[in-house]
Amino acid sequence: MPLKVPGQWSFKPNYYQYDASVLGTNTVYRLLEDPYGFIWMVSDKGILVFNGKTYETIKIPGTEQEIVNIYRYKNTVFAGTYSGKLFEIDMLTLKVEEIPLPQYMNRQARYLSTINVMDDKLYLAKNMGPFVILDLKKKKTPTLISHSNYLFRYLLYGDTSIPDLRFHPYWIKILDYKIFVESTIYDLQNRALKVFYTASKDSQELKTVSSYLKEGSDLYVGFLQSGGLVKYNNYNVKSYQNIRQTILPDVEVGDILKDSRGNIWISTLHNGVFVFLSEVAEVQKLSSNYTLYNNDIWYIKYKNRILDIGYKKQLVDQLKDGAFYKKWIGDTTTIFNPVLLFRSYKNKFMILGSVSSYMTGATNFDRIRSIYKDFYTYNNELYGTMNGTAGKFLENLNYKPILADTSELNFYTRFPLPDSTYVKGGANGLFINDKPTIVKDRVIKVRKYNNDILACTDNGLYIKRKEKYVHITQKDGLPDNQCVQIEYPGNRYYQLLTKQGLSYIDTADCKVVNSFNAQLLGSDAIIHHFDVEKDTIWLATNKGIFILDEKALLIKTKSDITAYLYPEQLTGRYQKYMYQNFELKYSKEKLVKMHVEIISFSPKEYYIAYQVAKENKIIAAPVQLVDRSFFVNTPEPGTYTIKLHIGSDKDHIDKQLTYLLKIKPLWYQILWIKILLIFILIIAFGFIVRIVAQQIIKEKEKRLKEKYAMLQLQSQAFFTQLNPHFIFNALTPLQSHILKNEKMESLEYLDRFSSLMRDILKNSDKTETSLKKELEFITKYINIQQIRFTPPFIFELHIAHDIKQDNTFIPAMLLQPIIENAIEHGIKNKGAEGLISVHIQTTVTKGQECLQIEIADNGVGMKHNFLKEGHALYILQKRIQTLQKQAGTIASLTHQPGNNGMGTIFTLLLSKTKNLWMP
């Protein structure tokens, strides 16, 4: 209903238009709404499923299948193609299946002009072709097959005895129980046709009716042939006095739909889709027979049925009772010089602009270069602020300066207070009596209402009430923080215009009661100025002039927002839009991406925030979304509660949604499997411990056996050194000295022999000894042996200089058996020609530094096998083999003939490492 403004004013509802820039086409035939709130549009590009921002195209099998007609039955859509095929679309899942038609229907490849359901039966008819009825309760079985000429006969009489050609069969449209024939809509009731609407009652040119919508007592009718959209208020089919109002002129209307939110949709064949939003139903756009200068309006004032309209040039149109009244022309030499104020007095007028002003009779030149920055009414007197001065306009529009300001501050506004003091606002903030206040933001306007001082700034509105300052910003409900205009009509509300909308602020508690967003007038709409007369708000915008019902604005209503939240993994339409509990398997990434989809046909931007909790513990505090997706951190399986908050801002939440996200554990995360795994691990661990313990015991037993074998071999080596032959042969020289009464020689020999015995006894319990001590022992042993032989054999010892004998360790009593073998079986009978030489040097074997000891003699060589059991060399060889079993040890004993086959060379190779020979 248009707002009631005295006079013959003409207004039409405000609407939005979705054209090819959004939909990809301007041709839309039919409209439907699905259970999720999406709008379905049948276009020349296919069926579009639209959510207000983007659309999805339903793919029909076959490239030639252009949809020309659809009908919704419950949650199923029957779609007919241009080639005459019929498809069934599930609105919940978008599953498409072709419905096989009787062979009779396929004789002519014509489109299905009629697709309608009555009494659970599907009526199908081709233009000038077959006509069939399918029973939907019996799996779409045919119950009647005939020709479309018999369609009306069957609808009226239930038989097909004779054709009924009262109506042209090539243009018949049946929708539910309404039949469209040219410019008339018939109502089919009890097999009788009654006129529901006919355009013949209008004096307008007759057009073909395409669609209708009954809205309460009002009727919307759409026409083809550029007949547009017409609205009848309080339509009465029996009356010839129905008031006709053209809402959309000169368009071809395809269909009209009222969705579940109360929005009214109009599809056209050449201009896209129009929608009248229910949330802006109280906003009407001025429609005048007088062509305005343009739609970019910067100033508006309504008083005494006269509307002053100012443009971005210094032009002012005046309309009275909706018709042209006067035109006032000021300075039009400047392209951009928006009108800020207009006043007239008799034949004198002034137009004050943002760049220059125009006053008739003010000076010899009507054009005034001075720029007025602010205008305000105080005590019914008009004041103005210009460069360096503030003054007042007299009744005859003459300007009287009353204050000159020579300060360096750039003031935009000055306002008089009692006692000749002023409030000033400018780039540096708000000043009272030239003293700065807490307001430091740029002040555009200052006003004083009651005892409040109001400052419009770039950062919201400041209200000074006594000594207290109240700061109102976007977070308190303003459309934005850029304040433009502030008014107070004397009631309980301050009226504040910001860059993006109009707000009403309660003077009692300084709270924002409600706001009107400029985007509701269009996505790029800007409100430049407003005026309020009684209950009507006049808006001057870049889209024209709108009026708004003040009472409707003061009623705080929540927007009917349809929103969905779903995980990215879901692809099915039913799962995304019907489920609020989701189950997903645990992922190693520990993140689940969630998408928010809002179905909104308003250009408003929404505040969207989410909160995540697990077991009543918040793990993600409310976080505002930058785009419409976010990640939920799921470090462990369980149920996560996701709350979605949607509104105009964080302090005005219109809708809250709660979803449950259940993360199912992987098989190894299930409790009983965990217990089973722990039990198995315990058994396995015990088994491994047992095996390791047994291995350790075996290793210890092995080392003990090796140690025992080493000690046994060492003991055997000890006894070999103390064998009777050696002792007897060693005592023979002593006996000789005694018989010869050579006391000194006897004592010296006995001292050497006893020293040798002591060394043997000392080394009997040692596993290793230093090279130095081993060589000292060998030297003592050689000296004893040399005394036995006359003349004595020769002994040579050669040691490399880089060998430190004190720090080089070898197994104890390792060299003596080799030297004893060289003496007894090699050089025993050679006398002074006998030679035993020992060469000790360092070498590297297998990456390890080793000690190489060569013991050579020039005796008869090894003609017999001396490595038999019990022999000293056999015992030595066993000791070497035992040493080889120790980790990280290199030990070997080899022998070979000497030079020219004379004598034998034994080579002993040992790791050169201290404490390596400890068992």
Side-chain angles (χ1 to χ4, degrees), residues 331-350:
D331 176 20
T332 59
T333 59
T334 304
I335 296 177
F336 183 79
N337 189 15
V339 176
L340 301 180
L341 182 72
F342 171 77
R343 288 288 187 273
S344 63
Y345 176 75
K346 296 182 179 180
N347 291 324
K348 188 176 181 180
F349 73 95
M350 67 176 181

Side-chain angles (χ1 to χ4, degrees), residues 279-297:
E279 61 179 316
V280 291
E282 300 302 326
V283 179
Q284 307 286 329
K285 186 174 183 180
L286 176 65
S287 176
S288 174
N289 294 327
Y290 172 72
T291 303
L292 300 178
Y293 178 72
N294 58 41
N295 280 327
D296 195 2
I297 313 299

Side-chain angles (χ1 to χ4, degrees), residues 655-721:
K655 193 152 195 160
Q656 294 187 13
L657 301 173
T658 301
Y659 292 83
L660 296 180
L661 176 62
K662 184 178 181 180
I663 303 299
K664 297 171 62 177
L666 301 177
W667 66 269
Y668 57 83
Q669 294 176 317
I670 301 174
L671 181 60
W672 68 269
I673 293 182
K674 284 184 178 181
I675 295 174
L676 180 61
L677 288 176
I678 292 174
F679 181 73
I680 293 173
L681 288 175
I682 292 174
I683 295 176
F685 180 75
F687 183 73
I688 293 173
V689 169
R690 181 181 178 185
I691 294 176
V692 172
Q694 290 177 347
Q695 190 67 26
I696 292 174
I697 293 173
K698 287 181 180 180
E699 190 68 26
K700 285 186 177 180
E701 289 178 352
K702 180 180 178 182
R703 293 188 65 183
L704 287 174
K705 287 180 180 179
E706 290 177 354
K707 184 176 181 180
Y708 175 76
M710 181 69 73
L711 293 174
Q712 190 176 25
L713 291 172
Q714 192 171 340
S715 176
Q716 291 177 2
F718 168 70
F719 285 111
T720 58
Q721 291 176 321

Side-chain angles (χ1 to χ4, degrees), residues 399-668:
Y399 179 71
K400 178 183 178 181
I402 57 175
L403 173 68
D405 194 331
T406 58
S407 66
E408 296 180 358
L409 293 175
N410 184 14
F411 288 112
Y412 302 118
T413 180
R414 297 169 177 81
F415 202 88
L417 292 176
D419 303 327
S420 301
T421 58
Y422 275 77
V423 179
K424 305 176 183 180
N428 296 329
L430 180 67
F431 292 77
I432 299 178
N433 297 335
D434 293 328
K435 292 182 180 180
T437 65
I438 66 170
V439 181
K440 304 301 180 184
D441 299 306
R442 187 172 76 109
V443 177
I444 307 300
K445 295 183 184 298
V446 174
R447 297 292 184 268
K448 181 179 181 298
Y449 299 123
N450 299 326
N451 293 320
D452 293 343
I453 296 176
L454 295 86
C456 287
T457 75
D458 291 339
N459 188 30
L461 176 69
Y462 288 87
I463 301 177
K464 181 182 182 298
R465 181 167 292 178
K466 296 182 180 180
E467 300 302 322
K468 182 181 178 182
Y469 285 84
V470 179
H471 188 199
I472 305 173
T473 63
Q474 187 176 8
K475 70 177 183 179
D476 301 307
L478 299 182
D480 64 292
N481 289 331
Q482 182 67 57
C483 297
V484 177
Q485 180 183 355
I486 182 74
E487 301 293 344
Y488 177 63
N491 54 20
R492 59 176 292 187
Y493 302 108
Y494 292 133
Q495 302 161 339
L496 177 65
L497 177 65
T498 65
K499 187 176 181 181
Q500 296 182 8
L502 178 65
S503 299
Y504 270 56
I505 301 170
D506 197 324
T507 58
D509 55 9
C510 299
K511 300 290 185 181
V512 177
V513 177
N514 206 347
S515 294
F516 177 81
N517 200 305
Q519 290 183 337
L520 294 174
L521 305 176
S523 58
D524 57 347
I526 300 174
I527 303 175
H528 294 137
H529 191 250
F530 76 96
D531 188 34
V532 180
E533 177 68 16
K534 295 183 179 179
D535 294 333
T536 302
I537 304 173
W538 296 79
L539 303 176
T541 78
N542 61 336
K543 299 288 186 179
I545 298 172
F546 294 84
I547 60 173
L548 173 64
D549 189 346
E550 186 180 51
K551 293 180 180 179
L553 177 62
L554 292 174
I555 298 174
K556 184 68 174 178
T557 57
K558 291 187 176 181
S559 300
D560 187 10
I561 301 172
T562 302
Y564 299 100
L565 176 70
Y566 52 85
E568 188 176 50
Q569 291 91 327
L570 295 185
T571 56
R573 197 168 190 256
Y574 185 83
Q575 291 81 2
K576 289 196 297 185
Y577 302 136
M578 292 296 288
Y579 289 1
Q580 286 190 301
N581 299 336
F582 307 107
E583 286 191 2
L584 299 176
K585 288 186 178 180
Y586 178 80
S587 172
K588 293 182 180 179
E589 287 75 15
K590 302 178 181 180
L591 290 174
V592 177
K593 189 173 184 180
M594 306 295 293
H595 290 277
V596 179
E597 187 166 356
I598 296 179
I599 301 178
S600 173
F601 306 105
S602 167
K604 291 192 304 184
E605 295 296 330
Y606 291 99
Y607 169 86
I608 308 173
Y610 72 95
Q611 174 181 297
V612 182
K614 186 176 185 292
E615 297 175 354
N616 296 323
K617 182 180 180 181
I618 296 177
I619 59 178
V623 180
Q624 183 177 359
L625 294 182
V626 178
D627 54 14
R628 295 187 179 182
S629 64
F630 60 93
F631 287 93
V632 176
N633 185 20
T634 56
E636 58 185 17
T639 301
Y640 296 81
T641 302
I642 306 173
K643 291 186 177 181
L644 207 61
H645 307 275
I646 306 172
S648 56
D649 55 69
K650 68 177 181 179
D651 297 314
H652 299 86
I653 301 301
D654 295 331
K655 193 152 195 160
Q656 294 187 13
L657 301 173
T658 301
Y659 292 83
L660 296 180
L661 176 62
K662 184 178 181 180
I663 303 299
K664 297 171 62 177
L666 301 177
W667 66 269
Y668 57 83

Side-chain angles (χ1 to χ4, degrees), residues 851-905:
L851 194 67
Q852 180 178 300
I853 304 174
E854 286 188 357
I855 302 175
D857 66 79
N858 59 351
V860 296
M862 294 187 66
K863 298 180 180 180
H864 306 285
N865 183 15
F866 295 104
L867 298 180
K868 58 184 179 180
E869 187 174 354
H871 195 275
L873 287 182
Y874 173 80
I875 296 172
L876 177 62
Q877 186 68 28
K878 287 295 183 182
R879 289 183 67 190
I880 293 298
Q881 292 175 357
T882 303
L883 292 174
Q884 289 174 348
K885 296 179 182 180
Q886 296 186 21
T889 302
I890 294 177
S892 65
L893 177 64
T894 60
H895 67 276
Q896 61 184 7
N899 296 329
N900 299 323
M902 297 294 295
T904 304
I905 300 175

Side-chain angles (χ1 to χ4, degrees), residues 126-267:
K126 289 188 175 182
N127 182 25
M128 297 295 293
F131 158 52
V132 67
I133 299 177
L134 304 181
D135 193 333
L136 298 178
K137 288 185 176 181
K138 296 181 179 180
K139 299 183 179 180
K140 310 176 188 67
T141 57
T143 61
L144 176 67
I145 298 177
S146 183
H147 192 273
S148 59
N149 290 342
Y150 297 90
L151 173 60
F152 273 98
R153 176 73 186 183
Y154 182 82
L155 292 176
L156 295 177
Y157 303 105
D159 62 62
T160 57
S161 58
I162 59 174
D164 190 335
L165 301 177
R166 287 181 294 171
F167 306 109
H168 296 291
Y170 59 84
W171 180 246
I172 298 174
K173 177 180 178 181
I174 304 176
L175 183 63
D176 297 327
Y177 291 89
K178 296 291 190 297
I179 300 175
F180 297 75
V181 181
E182 295 184 343
S183 61
T184 303
I185 303 176
Y186 293 94
D187 197 353
L188 180 62
Q189 297 179 359
N190 299 322
R191 296 192 178 277
L193 290 180
K194 293 184 178 181
V195 175
F196 173 76
Y197 167 82
T198 178
S200 62
K201 293 184 178 182
D202 289 328
S203 59
Q204 305 289 334
E205 180 184 356
L206 297 182
K207 303 288 184 180
T208 301
V209 177
S210 64
S211 52
Y212 81 98
L213 174 67
K214 194 74 165 59
E215 177 70 2
S217 61
D218 299 334
L219 179 67
Y220 293 86
V221 181
F223 295 90
L224 296 175
Q225 302 160 341
S226 300
L229 177 69
V230 175
K231 180 181 179 182
Y232 296 90
N233 297 322
N234 299 315
Y235 179 76
N236 185 352
V237 67
K238 298 179 180 181
S239 174
Y240 285 84
Q241 303 298 323
N242 291 305
I243 300 175
R244 172 188 175 120
Q245 180 187 7
T246 301
I247 304 299
L248 292 175
D250 304 326
V251 297
E252 288 199 73
V253 176
D255 198 6
I256 308 174
L257 169 71
K258 182 179 181 181
D259 65 19
S260 57
R261 302 170 186 81
N263 305 321
I264 297 177
W265 296 76
I266 297 94
S267 69

Side-chain angles (χ1 to χ4, degrees), residues 755-800:
S755 175
L756 179 63
M757 291 299 103
R758 283 195 300 271
D759 289 344
I760 292 174
L761 292 174
K762 285 180 180 179
N763 292 330
S764 63
D765 61 346
K766 294 181 179 180
T767 57
E768 70 174 9
T769 184
S770 66
L771 179 61
K772 181 178 180 181
K773 291 183 178 180
E774 182 71 9
L775 293 178
E776 289 177 351
F777 170 76
I778 292 300
T779 301
K780 291 178 182 180
Y781 176 77
I782 290 295
N783 289 337
I784 294 295
Q785 291 288 16
Q786 284 179 329
I787 294 175
R788 290 178 50 206
F789 298 95
T790 302
F793 59 86
I794 300 172
F795 177 72
E796 296 179 353
L797 179 62
H798 304 278
I799 304 174

